[in-house]
Amino acid sequence: MEGPLEWAASIGTMLAAAIIALDLGRRMTAWGFVLFCVVSLMWVYSGFTGGAIPIAAMNIVLFVINAWGVKQYWSDRKRPNARAKGEPNQSAK
């Protein structure tokens, strides 16, 4: 498990984490989650073909979590930082 696919997945994972950590806005965060989805699929393929089933299983779960992140951050309906900016909590109504 040390081929070009694994290197690309490793670099992509680090880049996706950096994009999300930099908090450059909702759209860029969504792109970070998209990149996480792509590299998760790369890890799943690598895990199954390289005999690393735990890596593949973990990344199947991470793919689902990251896909949820894409949905959340590409949707303008939900704004998780609303309370931090002093806006009223919509669920309290």
Side-chain angles (χ1 to χ4, degrees), residues 79-91:
R79 299 182 322 170
N81 293 329
R83 264 194 267 155
K85 294 180 182 177
E87 297 177 21
N89 185 355
Q90 297 297 328
S91 63

Side-chain angles (χ1 to χ4, degrees), residues 68-90:
W68 180 257
V70 171
K71 179 189 176 302
Q72 292 298 313
Y73 278 87
W74 247 327
S75 170
D76 289 331
R77 294 179 290 138
K78 192 169 189 174
R79 299 182 322 170
N81 293 329
R83 264 194 267 155
K85 294 180 182 177
E87 297 177 21
N89 185 355
Q90 297 297 328

Side-chain angles (χ1 to χ4, degrees), residues 6-87:
E6 290 80 16
W7 276 106
S10 294
I11 292 167
T13 300
M14 290 181 274
L15 182 59
I19 290 170
I20 291 172
L22 287 171
D23 194 18
L24 300 171
R26 291 184 66 79
R27 198 61 70 184
M28 280 302 293
T29 300
W31 280 112
F33 280 114
V34 168
L35 182 55
F36 263 139
C37 286
V38 170
V39 298
S40 289
L41 294 175
M42 293 168 71
W43 282 120
V44 169
Y45 177 80
S46 174
F48 280 134
T49 59
I53 304 305
I55 295 290
M58 175 183 67
N59 277 282
I60 289 170
V61 173
L62 290 175
F63 174 81
V64 172
I65 293 168
N66 290 319
W68 180 257
V70 171
K71 179 189 176 302
Q72 292 298 313
Y73 278 87
W74 247 327
S75 170
D76 289 331
R77 294 179 290 138
K78 192 169 189 174
R79 299 182 322 170
N81 293 329
R83 264 194 267 155
K85 294 180 182 177
E87 297 177 21

